[in-house]
Amino acid sequence: MAFGAEELRVLRRALALALHPGPTSAEDVQDCLRLAESLDEAIHEGVRLRAFLLADLDRYRAALPGTAAGYFTLLEEALGGAYRPVPDDLAALRALRGSPRAAALLERCQTLAEQDVRARFAQGARRVQAPSVPPARTRLLALSGGAAPRSEDADKQPPKPAPKPAPAERPAAPDPSAPKRPIPTPGEVFPRRKPPAPPRQLVG
């Protein structure tokens, strides 16, 4: 990616504003926005072109050995763009190493592959794994009082008696200020019955 003279001027102005904030004209703001949009477009275009390049590289590699010349050109272009060779590239170059160009590319790709392997090993060595806890102990730790450390003296001590059940609560005494219900009288409970009326005599 190359900048023109006008783009470099805008970039210098943006860096100066970032280092020394101050009043900015509307023209400078618009120039910075246009430069940011141009950079975004260039990045998207670069990603699209890289995808096309890698797709062509796969097609040429699959059609080897008849496409060796085109494959070598595409591989060199991809390596110049930070492409890392895959095992298929190494296998293809080994099969074509009778060609001086293939032998040179194979040596270059092997060097890059060794660098990647060493970098992965160095990154893995810096990682310290946390001690693993067995699943059963993990479940015990989640319970209240589970997985508590036990000592030999604790095993010799007699078991503690079970706690006594709490006494049942007595019903609360009635409130003396509450209105009392009147007690019914015997007459209300057993009302007096009226004597039956004597039968009427029929007159002949």
Side-chain angles (χ1 to χ4, degrees), residues 14-173:
L15 291 175
L17 291 173
L19 294 175
H20 305 286
T24 307
S25 63
E27 184 180 358
D28 288 339
V29 173
Q30 292 298 325
D31 290 342
C32 291
L33 291 176
R34 280 194 294 268
L35 178 61
E37 292 175 358
S38 300
L39 289 174
D40 290 339
E41 292 177 2
I43 291 172
H44 291 321
E45 183 67 15
V47 171
R48 190 176 66 86
L49 292 177
R50 178 181 174 82
F52 281 134
L53 174 62
L54 296 183
D56 286 342
L57 183 64
D58 290 341
R59 284 194 292 269
Y60 273 76
R61 184 175 56 232
L64 289 173
T67 56
Y71 172 70
F72 294 154
T73 302
L74 291 173
L75 182 57
E76 289 173 346
E77 184 178 354
L79 292 175
Y83 170 75
R84 292 303 188 185
V86 297
D88 290 342
D89 293 320
L90 297 176
L93 292 173
R94 289 191 187 98
L96 300 171
R97 57 186 169 188
S99 166
R101 192 175 180 186
L105 281 172
L106 177 60
E107 184 178 358
R108 181 180 177 184
C109 289
Q110 285 177 339
T111 301
L112 293 174
E114 291 173 0
Q115 291 176 357
D116 290 342
V117 170
R118 284 195 295 268
R120 283 196 296 269
F121 273 122
Q123 185 178 5
R126 287 193 295 269
R127 295 177 181 173
V128 179
Q129 293 185 351
S132 59
V133 180
R137 186 171 177 82
T138 305
R139 288 195 293 270
L140 287 175
L141 289 173
L143 300 175
S144 58
R150 298 182 61 186
S151 60
E152 295 180 358
D153 296 338
D155 295 336
K156 296 178 182 179
Q157 294 178 358
K160 296 181 179 180
K164 296 181 180 180
E169 296 182 358
R170 295 182 179 180

Side-chain angles (χ1 to χ4, degrees), residues 170-181:
R170 295 182 179 180
D175 189 1
S177 61
K180 297 182 179 180
R181 184 178 180 182

